[in-house]
């Protein structure tokens, strides 16, 4: 049986650090409020002129280096983002051009905080089917351009940061190692709990000069609803994943959660009665980087030497849509 595995991994964050105190200078907020409710201490913001395909390019190069491959070995690019370079074409096409590999297939995945796990499962299926050999999966975000840094938008603006992570997915040399199980879910009834509707194609014309003043051009979130659904759906999907894959909690070395809010992940750990230390985090340094958060955390953990070959890892995500899911993999 062919399994796919992560052959190489890399990440990148822009150098500009923005602390909670920095945000408190431009809106009515404070470090205590942000830290107590989310665990975030600082985040990175890209400079003007930087696209998510630029951040993704550096992460992709790092992942290829780690895999001992070159650009020319990539035969498919999957790019997960909610902050694409432009509305169309997809950021995978821009990234492919920057990598200098015309002709290679490109796919954008628009599944917000679950985008990386959705992309990973697509890559897994293509590798298992024998259709592609080395699939580059990138999660990258430039959130900082599309946040409302006035008091009106402070509930959302303090949560997000910019960054990128990438993996190369290829056939595993061992049937014991690689992606063991994936589970994906969505519930579009809650689409308006977290959304940005500047692009409304039902309007003719879809955008007018007046819209920038009157329509909501910034992300909108019902934070309590997102929180409530996240903790419930994530607990369910983790338990179902363990049951389907026939593994017990003790078998899992680390849980690599999407970094939306430290409290969500602590709440899930408490509900499952799992040790909180098993749930890794770096939200304190990067905030919520949406599609980039899981590969960014996985890459950091790997570089710190904490992951050994054969370790069982459980990845999970929940976000706008709502969309959520898990990936269970043996490193
Ligand atoms: O990947 C998915 C992404 N999103 C999430 O996972 C979000 C999930 N939800 C959450 O993490 C929490 O709902 C938040 C951290 C966003 C908010 O925490 P909360 O405990 O639900 O706060 P709240 O929205 O009920 O607001 C409490 C108070 C309000 O003031 P009043 O009405 O009590 O006077 C807000 O206006 O805090 C105020 N507030 C702020 N104060 C200081 C809202 N944003 C801020 C802020 N700084 N940035």
């Amino acid at each position: 049986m062919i399994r796919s595995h992560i052959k190489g991994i890399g990440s990148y964050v822009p150098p500009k650090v923005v602390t909670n105190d920095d945000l408190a200078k431009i809106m009515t907020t404070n470090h205590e409020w942000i830290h107590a409710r989310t665990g975030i201490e600082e985040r990175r913001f890209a400079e003007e002129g930087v696209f998510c395909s630029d951040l993704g390019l550096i992460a992709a190069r790092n992942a290829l280096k780690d895999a001992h491959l070159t650009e020319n070995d990539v035969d498919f690019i999957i790019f997960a983002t909610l902050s694409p370079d432009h509305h169309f074409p997809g950021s995978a096409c821009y990234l492919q051009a920057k990598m200098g590999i015309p002709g290679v297939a490109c796919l954008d995945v628009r599944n917000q905080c679950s985008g990386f796990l959705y992309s990973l499962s697509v890559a897994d299926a293509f590798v298992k089917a024998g259709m592609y050999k080395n699939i580059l999966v990138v999660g990258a975000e430039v959130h900082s351009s599309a946040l409302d840094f006035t008091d009106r938008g402070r509930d959302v603006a303090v949560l997000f940061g910019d960054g990128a992570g990438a993996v190369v997915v290829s056939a595993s040399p061992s049937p014991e190692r690689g992606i063991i199980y994936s589970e994906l879910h969505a519930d579009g009834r809650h689409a308006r709990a977290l959304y940005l509707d500047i692009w409304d194609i039902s309007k003719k014309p879809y955008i007018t000069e007046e819209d920038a003043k009157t329509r909501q051009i910034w992300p909108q979130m019902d934070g309590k609803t997102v929180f409530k659904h996240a903790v419930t759906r994530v607990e369910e999907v983790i338990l179902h994943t363990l049951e389907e894959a026939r593994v017990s909690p003790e078998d899992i070395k680390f849980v690599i959660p999407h970094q939306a809010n430290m409290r969500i992940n602590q709440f899930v750990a408490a509900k499952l009665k799992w040790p909180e230390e098993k749930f890794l985090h770096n939200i304190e340094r990067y905030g919520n980087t949406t599609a980039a958060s899981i590969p960014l955390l996985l890459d950091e953990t790997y570089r710190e030497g904490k992951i050994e070959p054969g370790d069982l890892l459980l990845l999970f995500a929940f976000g706008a849509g709502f969309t959520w899911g898990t990936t269970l993999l043996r490193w």
Side-chain angles (χ1 to χ4, degrees), residues 4 18 67 96 132 155 171 210 241 254 261 267 270 276 311 321:
S4 76
V18 177
Q96 184 236 48
Y132 295 109
D155 58 328
E210 199 54 23
T241 297
F254 292 125
N261 180 332
F267 204 92
E276 207 179 293
D311 282 347

Side-chain angles (χ1 to χ4, degrees), residues 14 16-18 23 43-47 144 147 149 157 160-162:
K16 184 178 173 188
V17 176
V18 177
L23 292 181
R43 70 286 290 142
R44 303 297 181 93
F45 281 180
E47 297 295 341
S144 53
L147 294 170
F149 293 107
F160 292 93
D162 303 340

Side-chain angles (χ1 to χ4, degrees), residues 28-30 33 37-38 113 154-155 158-160 194 221 223-224 226-227 258 260-261 263-264 288 318-319:
T28 313
T29 190
N30 57 76
W33 191 98
R37 281 183 166 75
T38 69
C113 299
R154 65 181 179 166
D155 58 328
V158 300
L159 303 177
F160 292 93
L194 180 50
M221 180 177 70
K224 284 197 193 313
V226 178
F227 195 104
H258 164 54
N261 180 332
R263 280 174 55 227
I264 291 180
N288 182 350
F318 180 93

Side-chain angles (χ1 to χ4, degrees), residues 253-255 257 266 269 274-281 306:
K253 169 97 171 271
F254 292 125
V255 179
Q266 288 167 336
W274 292 11
E276 207 179 293
E277 311 76 67
K278 218 179 237 211
F279 284 60
L280 303 186
H281 55 85
K306 292 183 186 159

Side-chain angles (χ1 to χ4, degrees), residues 15-66:
K16 184 178 173 188
V17 176
V18 177
T19 65
N20 293 342
D21 286 341
D22 291 332
L23 292 181
K25 289 178 198 146
I26 54 171
M27 63 174 93
T28 313
T29 190
N30 57 76
H31 172 75
E32 290 67 33
W33 191 98
I34 300 169
H35 191 250
R37 281 183 166 75
T38 69
I40 299 166
E41 294 170 18
E42 57 188 42
R43 70 286 290 142
R44 303 297 181 93
F45 281 180
E47 297 295 341
E48 175 121 31
V50 173
F51 291 106
C52 74
S53 63
D54 295 319
L55 302 184
L57 177 65
I58 303 174
R61 285 185 175 146
N62 290 338
L64 285 170
K65 196 170 163 210
D66 186 50

